[in-house]
């Protein structure tokens, strides 16, 4: 929330090499401790990615510099259950 909710369906452009993981983009990534997450890229660099929560008040997650952890970029989303 507010952009996406946990039961929403997202369409992801697969990008296993993380080429499109740039600040401002929303991505699906595999975090080593938190599993699969859908978050906005806050920063990207040689030290890895900083992923900001789409919901205010949550701390950002840091991904190590491993491009294979990025599944892809979110290009569409639909509310589940017809909300």
């Amino acid at each position: 929330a507010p952009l996406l909710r946990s039961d929403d369906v997202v369409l992801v452009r697969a990008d296993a090499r993380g080429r499109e993981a740039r600040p401002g983009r929303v991505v699906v990534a595999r975090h080593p401790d938190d599993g699969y997450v859908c978050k906005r890229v806050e920063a990207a660099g040689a030290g890895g990615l900083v992923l900001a929560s789409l919901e205010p008040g949550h701390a950002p997650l840091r991904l190590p510099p491993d491009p294979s952890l990025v599944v892809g970029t979110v290009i569409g989303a639909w509310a589940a259950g017809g909300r």
Side-chain angles (χ1 to χ4, degrees):
L3 181 62
L4 296 170
R5 298 191 192 305
S6 62
D7 59 347
D8 286 352
V9 176
V10 294
L11 178 62
V12 177
R13 179 178 329 160
D15 183 20
R17 294 188 196 126
R19 290 185 306 265
E20 295 187 20
R22 293 190 281 274
R25 299 243 172 123
V26 177
V27 298
V28 173
R30 185 173 46 85
H31 187 272
D33 298 325
D34 294 310
Y36 287 94
V37 296
C38 184
K39 300 209 177 272
R40 181 173 285 123
V41 178
E42 186 174 279
L49 293 177
V50 177
L51 302 177
S53 178
L54 300 173
E55 186 172 355
H58 291 275
L61 291 176
R62 299 188 186 287
L63 281 182
D66 180 353
S68 70
L69 296 175
V70 177
V71 175
T73 304
V74 174
I75 58 173
W78 294 266
R83 329 185 281 285

